[in-house]
Amino acid sequence: MVFGIVYGATATGNVSLVAEKRANHLSDQMIKELRLNNYQSNKVRAINLDVAAQITEIEQKFEGNEQLIAEKCKDVLAVRDLAFEDVLSTVQYNDYFGDRKMYSKVDREFMANLSEQGTQNLASNENASENNVN
């Protein structure tokens, strides 16, 4: 259910929109927590957008196989760690590296909320359609 919005968005061609929202949410959190400057903020946003697009695609492609999703995402996140190492200061990177689980949790919660909103919007749209028919 957590990834329901992702799969529903795929059907309508909005996967890139979901990935963008996902990346921006995580980037905003990182910018605030790590106190990034403008250059770092732009780089982190670009990296997170690329990673969010890849992860969203993996989740869509391997829907229902959580073990394979986790394995594939682990590889993508390892590449992100290397990219961040080139952008962040040593202190910022150490803070980021120590908080990776927290950032993963923030991402999962965001996707769960997005999925819940999508389900509520779908229900609202169905109710509106039923009211228009009556």
Side-chain angles (χ1 to χ4, degrees):
M1 185 166 124
V2 171
F3 303 113
I5 188 72
V6 174
Y7 308 122
T10 302
T12 60
N14 290 327
V15 172
S16 61
L17 181 60
V18 170
E20 186 176 342
K21 286 182 179 185
R22 184 179 201 169
N24 283 335
H25 179 75
L26 184 59
S27 296
D28 290 345
Q29 186 80 21
M30 292 178 76
I31 290 165
K32 184 173 37 172
E33 300 273 329
L34 300 173
R35 298 183 188 149
L36 304 182
N37 64 35
N38 194 40
Y39 171 80
Q40 291 171 316
S41 298
N42 290 331
K43 290 291 188 180
V44 164
R45 282 190 191 282
I47 292 166
N48 280 336
L49 180 58
D50 183 49
V51 168
Q54 290 178 52
I55 288 176
T56 303
E57 184 178 324
I58 289 168
E59 291 168 349
Q60 173 195 358
K61 187 175 181 180
F62 300 105
E63 178 181 3
N65 189 343
E66 294 302 318
Q67 183 177 359
L68 187 57
I69 290 172
E71 184 180 310
K72 298 276 186 187
C73 288
K74 185 178 179 182
D75 295 337
V76 172
L77 296 175
V79 171
R80 178 178 72 179
D81 289 347
L82 291 175
F84 283 165
E85 197 169 12
D86 291 338
V87 174
L88 304 176
S89 72
T90 302
V91 171
Q92 289 169 325
Y93 184 78
N94 287 339
D95 289 345
Y96 157 75
F97 198 82
D99 289 340
R100 287 180 307 162
K101 287 183 182 181
M102 183 269 302
Y103 290 122
S104 291
K105 182 180 176 187
V106 165
D107 184 51
R108 283 191 309 273
E109 288 173 355
F110 176 76
M111 290 305 292
N113 288 336
L114 196 60
S115 177
E116 188 176 301
Q117 289 174 359
T119 302
Q120 290 173 353
N121 288 342
L122 181 61
S124 296
N125 289 342
E126 287 175 358
N127 288 339
S129 296
E130 287 176 12
N131 288 339
N132 287 337
V133 171
N134 295 329

